[in-house]
Amino acid sequence: MADTLVFPGTVEWSGENPGISLKEDPAGPFTTLASFFRVVLSPHGRGHALVLLQDPQSAEGQNICLTDNEPMARWLVADYVSHFGAWRNLPGLAGLRYAKLDSVRTSGDAISTYSETVRGADLTVALTWSGLGKPFCFALPPGNSATGKHHMPSLFVGCATATVTVNGKVRPGAPIPREIAGQSISTAMLAFSETWIRV
């Protein structure tokens, strides 16, 4: 039998973190960024958080985090989201407003389509992924992770198209191609069974 693989370090959080990053021009800036967290274990307990930047380039724009666990959400934004490639150094994160999340509803089969609908602060935000690809499981070493400090084993599902709908209005833009762990996906993907282990 093969040796058991045990990751050294401290498990900081585990759960789900699907995301959608949209551009109107593949060579231009992102027009909308959405990162959804369903955390089952963290130093701040369990909870949900949707970090949504409708004006990524403005600290005064419509940028909000809907959450049912604000200490956890603030920690995720400071220690994780702010290091994600598309989010790094964005003014929109500096002006992020935190508000109470009222409900979360999941739909779809995660085989062809999937959706998370989040409500709170007079907002209904629907994240929808469609044209889903083949799931693949991988583990990034610390040097290749977003933070540079964590192992990150995860299951990803890429998708062909994705939308962010806010109060019935579809946000402009589309995901663009990207590659991770040798797989061609896009800037919209499902990330399940995701665990961040600090070394």
Side-chain angles (χ1 to χ4, degrees):
M1 292 180 63
D3 292 338
T4 300
L5 178 61
V6 178
F7 291 97
T10 302
V11 174
E12 291 203 328
W13 73 269
S14 186
E16 302 174 6
N17 182 212
I20 299 175
S21 300
L22 305 177
K23 287 188 174 188
E24 291 185 281
D25 177 354
F30 286 100
T31 56
T32 300
L33 297 171
S35 189
F36 175 77
F37 293 86
R38 178 177 286 109
V39 173
V40 298
L41 179 150
S42 85
H44 300 281
R46 300 167 60 94
H48 303 83
L50 168 63
V51 188
L52 174 66
L53 302 188
Q54 297 186 73
D55 298 299
Q57 307 304 321
S58 172
E60 307 298 325
Q62 296 180 324
N63 302 313
I64 193 168
C65 176
L66 298 175
T67 182
D68 52 13
N69 183 339
E70 188 171 327
M72 180 199 75
R74 288 183 177 275
W75 173 71
L76 288 171
V77 169
D79 286 20
Y80 293 90
V81 178
S82 62
H83 297 284
F84 293 172
W87 300 71
R88 197 174 293 126
N89 299 320
L90 283 179
L93 275 181
L96 193 65
R97 179 170 66 95
Y98 291 81
K100 183 178 181 295
L101 179 153
D102 295 324
S103 68
V104 178
R105 181 175 59 87
T106 304
S107 60
D109 55 15
I111 296 172
S112 59
T113 187
Y114 188 80
S115 182
E116 296 279 5
T117 302
V118 180
R119 291 183 171 88
D122 296 323
L123 295 173
T124 298
V125 184
L127 312 179
T128 302
W129 298 259
S130 54
L132 300 181
K134 183 179 178 181
F136 61 99
C137 191
F138 65 101
L140 288 179
N144 292 341
S145 74
T147 63
K149 301 174 182 177
H150 296 81
H151 292 285
M152 193 203 78
S154 186
L155 184 150
F156 269 29
V157 183
C159 74
T161 59
T163 57
V164 177
T165 305
V166 181
N167 288 346
K169 185 175 181 180
V170 178
R171 296 287 303 161
I176 62 170
R178 67 173 288 208
E179 184 175 297
I180 189 167
Q183 304 288 319
S184 296
I185 59 170
S186 75
T187 54
M189 73 287 172
L190 302 178
F192 297 140
S193 306
E194 186 168 298
T195 301
W196 291 75
I197 306 162
R198 183 179 289 270
V199 295

